[in-house]
Amino acid sequence: MGILKCISYKIFVLFFISFMFTACSQERHLKNQIYVYDWNEKNPIKTVSLTEIKDGKKIKVYQKNVDIKKQYDSLNKTNYFMLVFKDAVQFQINSSYELKINASLYKITNFKMMSKSQGGDIMYTINNEPQEIGDDNIIKIQAAD
């Protein structure tokens, strides 16, 4: 009976430890979309490319399979463009990106996951301006004039 109790205890401890590792390692994943707000509609989006950069090296350029869809944000009552990069399964938090739309360049860097006590959002910068990603896991950009 003592051996059975000891084995049950060890199984419980191992299960508890694996559960804790699973809970702590849950990482949020960014969608393969970028929303661009306030784009000057007189200047249509013709070319889009996204370059993934990791440790200062270009990893991949996404530019061929990009869907550009005009959408309407009913909460903020404004139009935006949804860029969907079909070649990217998801964006990586440990990478940086350079988004080029026509002649405009947006540097998306410094991803940092906030703790649950701080809301759990993801902080990042676009052209050195602080931004945050909420629960929708989508990068949103305010278009440059």
Side-chain angles (χ1 to χ4, degrees), residues 8 14 24 35 55 70 75 81 83 92 94-95 101 104 144:
S8 297
L14 289 173
C24 292
Y35 293 175
D55 299 326
K70 188 174 181 180
L75 180 65
F81 284 99
L83 309 177
Q92 304 298 317
N94 58 354
S95 293
I101 304 173
S104 299

Side-chain angles (χ1 to χ4, degrees), residues 34 49-51 53 58 95-101 104-111 124-131 139-142 144:
I34 296 177
S49 70
L50 182 76
T51 303
I53 301 167
K58 292 183 179 182
S95 293
S96 296
Y97 296 91
E98 288 182 355
L99 174 66
K100 189 172 183 183
I101 304 173
S104 299
L105 181 65
Y106 301 92
K107 293 185 179 190
I108 307 166
T109 60
N110 302 324
F111 289 97
Y124 67 106
T125 61
I126 295 178
N127 294 343
N128 298 317
E129 292 290 324
Q131 309 286 324
I139 297 171
K140 296 176 181 160
I141 293 178
Q142 203 67 32

